[in-house]
């Protein structure tokens, strides 16, 4: 609840520079039109394409039986979450993505949308359900054929068969192609023999492996007739269903207590001469005949590998959405608290200031709110693309590559942002933020691993960078190094001096002589787009020029050359992801009908875009895209935008639609507002009755 206590007229002042200040809201540009947010309509828009499913899932998440209980022991938390999976089955939450032939709904986008909302109940529940149905079950669905669907999916969907997704190895995490587990075909018995030949080949960090799983989808190098055909997936029983003990040849360990997500029984598995029937190969993309002959509809081993892994992209898609929800929850808690908590009598002899009235507090939270909005809109576009690919509406190789690149670009940004935002919101709430009862520390701990699982963020951005390089090289397939170098120089010169809007922006600064009045071009979305796009293009062009002759070098020298550009490539990919988010925000703006909401969201979009430019301002100055004066204008306008958005901050977080049953944070419940009102009334009554003690400082002033 926002503090709405009335203010005396003297608290409102107009300064000569045409900026108004109020004790409640801080500086406001009076030339800006008044704006108010239609919270209900904006909330519906933030729910995205599958709004009805999100609303229903969030309502379901209000069930106390689904929610985390802080302070549970490891065993109790695991047991509670496993029991919660059964509630999901009973509610039908987990069946959306599965085929209608086995009782599902073939709704891939809706499935992910509903699944993401479980983060409000307990991230452990979200991720454990993701292991069961989004990884273990999805591997059978997407890598198996109809006979596998009929045989395995009913038990997976009903939770009769809890399972693990055995891809990652202790020695190989992100480099899946190099995993060491083998599945060697024996034509005499028509069986595959599964082996983890050394300790580094053990399957590790697997949800459901330590305790609950009785089967797994296992990824191994398929070897038949002495030929390794690369990584394939197999359905492997791992425990006796009656006793819960490991089957012969299988062993494992419990990963134990983790930094978060302790409702999930992560563990490791190892295999020694474990035999499974030939039919347990999930053979959608590669098969082995009875005599050991290998066949595949995809001739290229590399393309086959990436096609198989691409079918499992939904983990990255869902993490992008869940991390964004985590950021939104943290910001809702911190901004609500900041609107109620008072500290220091900066502008009054009697009343303390609301925290969110301090510029630094606004700068800490409101730009992160802008980024979170950008992520919400970008995620919905990602989810639509995901649904188009997996529903078959747009299922070409190019569509799948676009989906994989989009997921690899957005998941790192949203998961890193979640950790940054939750840490900042924790600090912004002071000691109260450190209390477990206020959720932020637990969210921060649980979401920590999101940055490294389903693909380490830096590795994912390398995949994006390679795609950008490939697209760039297609434009210059026959160009020599000199031509490329000349292109980069020409491009840089054109961008610096003749790029859309940039020259006139510089002239504006020079003519007006004031950074405060040079913001006209900065508000232009074309200027923002130009600066953001140019950074991606130039970084890729520069790296491509340096790598141009790599194919003429030895393998080692080529690797060394590529490694020397790794950091620049990752930064370029990150810039590409940021551009995608900005574009999604801008597209979303075009569909907003309410004038007040559109004005506020435009300020928020501008804050996001200019915040990116400010973050990378050194690059823009070094490359001649911004002069120091223009860079100063960027920061000055950001300060103005933050001040404009301050009165709208509560509405913007209210639009996320979280109720107290979702937040479960006492400092965001209105309790702080009640405490502050009680304290203010106490001192007001003292002053009114004349019983307030005299301040020593007052006596000292009178004596002088």
């Amino acid at each position: 609840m926002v503090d709405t206590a009335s203010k005396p007229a003297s608290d409102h002042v107009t300064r000569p520079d045409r900026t108004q200040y109020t004790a409640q809201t801080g500086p406001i540009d009076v030339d800006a039109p008044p704006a108010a947010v239609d919270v209900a309509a904006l909330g519906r828009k933030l729910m995205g394409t599958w709004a009805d499913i999100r609303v229903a899932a969030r309502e379901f998440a209000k069930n106390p039986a689904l929610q985390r209980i802080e302070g549970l022991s490891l065993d109790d938390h695991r047991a509670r979450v496993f029991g919660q999976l059964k509630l999901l089955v009973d509610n039908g939450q987990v069946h959306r993505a599965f085929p209608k032939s086995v009782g599902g709904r073939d709704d891939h986008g809706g499935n992910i949308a509903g699944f993401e909302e479980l983060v409000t109940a307990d991230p452990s529940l979200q991720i454990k359900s993701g292991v069961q149905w989004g990884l273990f079950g999805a591997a059978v669905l997407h890598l198996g054929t109809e006979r596998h669907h009929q045989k395995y999916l009913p038990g997976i969907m009903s939770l009769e068969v809890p399972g693990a997704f055995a891809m990652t190895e202790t020695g190989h995490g992100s480099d899946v192609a190099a995993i060491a587990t083998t599945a060697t075909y024996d034509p005499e018995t028509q069986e595959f023999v599964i082996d983890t030949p050394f300790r580094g080949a053990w399957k590790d960090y697997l949800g459901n492996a330590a305790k609950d799983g009785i089967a797994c989808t296992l990824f191994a190098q398929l070897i038949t007739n002495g030929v390794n055909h690369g990584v394939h997936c197999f359905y492997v029983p791992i425990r006796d269903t009656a006793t819960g003990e490991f089957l012969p040849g299988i062993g494992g360990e419990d990963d134990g207590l983790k930094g978060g997500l302790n409702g999930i029984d992560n563990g490791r598995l190892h295999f020694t001469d474990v035999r499974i029937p030939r039919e347990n190969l999930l053979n959608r993309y590669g098969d082995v005949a009875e005599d050991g002959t290998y066949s595949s509809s995809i001739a290229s081993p590399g393309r086959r590998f990436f096609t198989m892994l691409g079918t499992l992209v939904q983990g990255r898609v869902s993490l992008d959405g869940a991390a964004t929800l985590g950021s939104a929850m943290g910001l809702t808690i911190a901004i609500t608290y900041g609107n109620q908590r008072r500290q220091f009598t900066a502008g009054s002899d009697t009343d303390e200031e609301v925290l969110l009235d301090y510029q630094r507090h606004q700068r800490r939270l409101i730009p992160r709110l802008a980024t979170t909005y950008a992520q919400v809109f970008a995620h919905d576009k990602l989810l639509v693309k995901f649904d188009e690919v997996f529903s078959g509406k747009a299922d070409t190789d190019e569509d799948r590559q676009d989906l994989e690149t989009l997921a690899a670009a957005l998941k790192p940004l949203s998961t890193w942002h979640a950790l940054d935002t939750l840490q900042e919101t924790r600090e912004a709430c002071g000691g109260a933020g450190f209390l477990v009862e206020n959720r932020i520390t637990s969210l921060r701990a649980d979401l920590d691993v999101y940055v490294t699982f389903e693909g380490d963020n830096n590795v994912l951005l390398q995949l994006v960078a390679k795609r950008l390089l490939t697209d760039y090289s297609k434009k210059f397939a026959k160009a020599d190094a000199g031509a490329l170098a000349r292109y980069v120089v020409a491009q840089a010169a054109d961008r610096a001096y003749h790029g859309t809007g940039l020259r006139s922006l510089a002239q504006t600064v020079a003519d007006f002589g004031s950074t405060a009045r040079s913001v006209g071009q900065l508000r232009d979305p074309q200027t923002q787009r130009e600066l953001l796009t140019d950074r991606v293009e130039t970084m890729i062009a520069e790296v491509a020029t340096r790598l141009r002759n790599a194919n003429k070098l030895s393998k080692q020298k080529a690797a060394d050359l590529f490694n020397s550009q790794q950091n620049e490539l990752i930064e370029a990919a990150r810039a590409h992801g940021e551009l995608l988010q900005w574009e999604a925000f801008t597209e979303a703006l075009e569909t907003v009908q309410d004038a007040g909401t559109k004005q506020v969201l435009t300020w928020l979009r501008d804050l996001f875009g200019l915040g990116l430019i400010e973050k990378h301002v050194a690059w823009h100055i070094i490359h001649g895209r911004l002069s120091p004066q223009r860079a100063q204008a960027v920061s000055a306008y950001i300060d103005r935008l933050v001040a404009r958005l301050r009165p709208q901050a509560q509405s913007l977080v209210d639009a996320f639609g979280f109720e107290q049953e979702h937040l479960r944070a006492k400092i965001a419940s209105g309790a702080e507002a009640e405490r502050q009102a009680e304290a203010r009334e106490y001192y007001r009554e003292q002053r009114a009755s004349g019983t307030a003690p005299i301040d020593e400082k007052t006596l000292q002033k009178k004596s002088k």
Side-chain angles (χ1 to χ4, degrees):
M1 179 184 294
V2 180
D3 184 352
T4 57
S6 61
K7 297 283 181 179
S10 59
D11 278 355
H12 190 278
V13 180
T14 300
R15 301 283 177 85
D17 61 0
R18 294 285 296 155
T19 299
Q20 288 184 352
Y21 285 74
T22 72
Q24 174 68 14
T25 62
I28 303 173
D29 183 350
V30 296
D31 294 325
V37 173
D38 183 336
V39 174
L42 177 57
R44 186 73 179 181
K45 184 168 187 61
L46 291 174
M47 287 287 184
T49 304
W50 287 270
D52 290 340
I53 288 176
R54 287 192 184 277
V55 169
R58 199 172 288 186
E59 187 67 23
F60 182 55
K62 291 163 63 175
N63 183 350
L66 291 171
Q67 295 169 358
R68 175 182 180 139
I69 297 175
E70 299 289 356
L72 288 179
S73 68
L74 180 67
D75 290 340
D76 287 345
H77 195 185
R78 287 177 171 182
R80 179 174 175 80
V81 171
F82 186 73
Q84 291 167 339
L85 294 187
K86 298 175 183 177
L87 297 178
L88 297 182
V89 173
D90 293 342
N91 187 258
Q93 289 286 318
V94 302
H95 296 160
R96 286 193 186 95
F98 292 105
K100 292 180 180 178
S101 62
V102 291
R105 304 178 199 170
D106 279 323
D107 183 0
H108 300 277
N111 175 65
I112 298 297
F115 164 73
E116 291 165 354
E117 296 294 333
L118 291 176
V119 77
T120 64
D122 184 351
S124 284
L125 171 59
Q126 187 217 6
I127 298 304
K128 190 172 176 75
S129 67
V131 169
Q132 175 66 19
W133 296 293
L135 292 176
F136 174 56
V140 174
L141 172 61
H142 296 302
L143 300 179
T145 52
E146 183 61 26
R147 61 183 173 87
H148 296 117
H149 297 171
Q150 296 298 324
K151 184 175 182 179
Y152 298 126
L153 287 181
I156 293 171
M157 293 166 65
S158 69
L159 200 62
E160 179 185 350
V161 182
F165 181 78
M167 175 185 284
T168 299
E169 296 180 356
T170 305
H172 285 97
S174 298
D175 188 4
V176 178
I179 60 174
T181 301
T182 58
T184 305
Y185 184 66
D186 180 355
E188 295 296 322
T189 62
Q190 296 187 28
E191 294 173 316
F192 286 99
V193 183
I194 310 295
D195 278 296
T196 46
F198 44 80
R199 177 62 185 82
W202 286 20
K203 298 297 181 179
D204 212 342
Y205 319 117
L206 314 179
N208 281 346
K211 181 177 178 290
D212 296 327
I214 63 174
C216 73
T217 45
L218 178 136
F219 290 78
Q221 305 286 351
L222 189 159
I223 301 170
T224 181
N225 293 331
V227 177
N228 183 352
H229 293 279
V231 176
H232 288 64
C233 188
F234 303 81
Y235 185 93
V236 183
I238 59 173
R239 283 187 174 92
D240 185 288
T241 56
T243 67
E245 298 297 321
F246 281 121
L247 295 172
I250 301 174
E253 295 176 353
D254 194 323
D255 281 327
L257 193 67
K258 308 183 296 292
L261 297 178
N262 281 303
I264 306 170
D265 57 325
N266 293 89
R268 48 188 72 101
L269 300 172
H270 55 87
F271 302 81
T272 305
D273 295 330
V274 175
R275 289 179 171 266
I276 58 171
R278 179 177 67 91
E279 291 78 13
N280 282 29
L281 167 65
L282 301 180
N283 62 340
R284 179 178 178 182
Y285 295 105
D287 201 6
V288 174
E290 292 182 3
D291 65 357
T293 302
Y294 179 83
S295 61
S296 173
S297 58
I298 304 175
S300 166
R303 182 163 165 263
R304 185 189 315 134
F305 170 75
F306 284 109
T307 299
M308 286 193 284
L309 262 61
T311 64
L312 305 172
V313 72
Q314 68 189 59
R316 294 168 186 171
V317 175
S318 64
L319 289 182
D320 178 55
T324 300
L325 283 170
S327 296
M329 292 172 69
L331 285 163
T332 301
I333 294 167
I335 287 176
T336 301
Y337 182 66
N339 257 333
Q340 298 172 2
R341 170 75 175 185
R342 292 178 175 273
Q343 200 79 75
F344 304 113
T345 53
S348 168
D349 291 332
T350 56
D351 282 343
E352 294 176 297
E353 301 295 327
V354 174
L355 290 183
L356 204 57
D357 283 350
Y358 290 105
Q359 185 193 52
R360 179 58 184 165
H361 212 74
Q362 297 166 16
R363 263 283 198 162
R364 298 171 77 179
L365 299 178
I366 295 177
R368 288 176 170 85
L369 179 59
T371 300
T372 303
Y373 262 70
Q375 289 179 182
V376 169
F377 296 129
H379 177 67
D380 193 60
K381 290 178 66 68
L382 171 61
L383 201 52
V384 168
K385 184 67 176 178
F386 171 81
D387 186 72
E388 289 174 347
V389 168
F390 281 85
S391 67
K393 296 176 185 176
D395 192 20
T396 66
D397 282 345
E398 186 175 359
D399 287 317
R400 287 185 172 269
Q401 288 177 29
D402 287 346
L403 171 61
E404 291 162 19
T405 304
L406 190 57
L410 296 181
K411 180 262 186 184
L413 271 60
S414 60
T415 54
W416 273 327
H417 175 70
L419 297 192
D420 170 70
T421 298
L422 291 169
Q423 181 62 30
E424 195 66 40
T425 54
R426 203 296 293 160
E427 294 181 33
C429 294
F434 198 58
L435 299 181
V436 170
E437 70 178 18
N438 290 317
R439 288 292 299 283
I440 297 177
T441 54
S442 296
L443 280 171
R444 172 65 171 76
D446 284 338
L447 269 61
D448 196 335
V449 75
Y450 284 30
V451 304
T452 51
F453 85 136
E454 293 298 324
D456 177 276
N457 283 355
N458 284 287
V459 174
L460 291 181
L461 289 178
Q462 287 186 77
L463 297 177
V464 176
K466 289 178 180 179
R467 173 69 186 274
L468 294 175
L469 279 173
T470 299
D471 289 348
Y472 179 84
S473 67
K474 288 178 181 177
K475 298 179 182 179
F476 298 96
K478 298 181 180 180
D480 59 21
L484 279 175
R486 288 191 295 275
Y487 168 79
V488 173
V489 171
Q491 181 196 51
D494 182 64
R495 299 289 184 183
Y497 300 111
H498 304 291
T500 303
L502 298 185
R503 187 171 186 176
S504 58
L505 174 57
Q507 190 64 44
T508 300
V509 175
D511 287 350
F512 290 144
S514 168
T515 58
R517 299 185 63 190
S518 65
V519 298
Q521 292 290 338
L522 294 174
R523 288 198 298 261
D524 180 8
Q526 274 304 111
T527 299
Q528 295 175 35
R529 180 181 283 110
E530 181 77 15
L531 288 168
L532 297 173
T533 304
D534 169 65
R535 184 164 182 265
V536 178
E537 291 179 351
T538 302
M539 293 175 79
I540 290 297
E542 290 175 344
V543 172
T545 301
R546 298 183 195 117
L547 296 177
R548 179 64 174 175
N549 294 318
N551 60 348
K552 300 177 182 178
L553 302 175
S554 67
K555 186 174 183 179
Q556 181 61 56
K557 288 185 177 179
D560 290 343
L561 177 60
F562 191 86
N563 188 53
S564 73
Q565 301 302 308
Q566 186 180 52
N567 189 63
E568 287 299 311
L569 281 169
I570 289 173
E571 285 302 308
R574 189 166 185 161
H576 174 68
E578 292 167 343
L579 174 61
L580 292 173
Q581 291 176 337
W582 184 91
E583 291 283 7
F585 203 151
T586 302
E587 287 181 25
L589 264 175
E590 295 172 0
T591 65
V592 176
Q593 301 300 317
D594 178 71
T597 303
K598 189 163 191 171
Q599 178 64 81
V600 172
L601 288 184
T602 299
W603 294 337
L604 202 64
R605 189 279 315 276
D606 290 348
L607 178 58
F608 173 64
L610 296 176
L612 294 175
I613 294 166
E614 183 184 51
K615 182 169 70 172
H616 304 300
V617 70
W619 186 95
H620 290 288
I621 292 174
I622 290 170
H623 285 77
R625 274 43 168 190
L626 289 175
S627 69
Q629 293 94 333
R630 277 178 262 168
Q632 192 177 10
V634 171
S635 294
Y637 190 48
I638 285 175
D639 287 338
R640 291 176 64 183
L641 285 172
V642 168
R644 281 182 187 175
L645 288 163
R646 157 58 185 110
Q648 308 297 336
Q650 191 67 51
S651 295
L652 289 169
V653 294
D654 287 347
F656 287 133
F658 299 120
E659 299 177 46
Q660 277 307 307
E661 294 93 333
H662 303 122
L663 298 176
R664 302 189 299 283
K666 291 186 178 180
I667 56 173
S669 67
E672 180 62 29
E674 293 175 6
R675 285 193 292 269
Q676 294 293 335
E678 179 187 25
R680 296 172 78 196
E681 180 61 19
Y682 172 81
Y683 289 119
R684 189 197 66 78
E685 289 180 356
Q686 274 197 337
R687 292 192 299 272
S689 65
T691 60
I694 299 173
D695 194 308
E696 180 183 359
K697 294 177 182 178
T698 304
L699 292 175
Q700 290 176 347
K701 288 179 181 179
K702 288 182 178 180
S703 66
K704 293 179 180 179

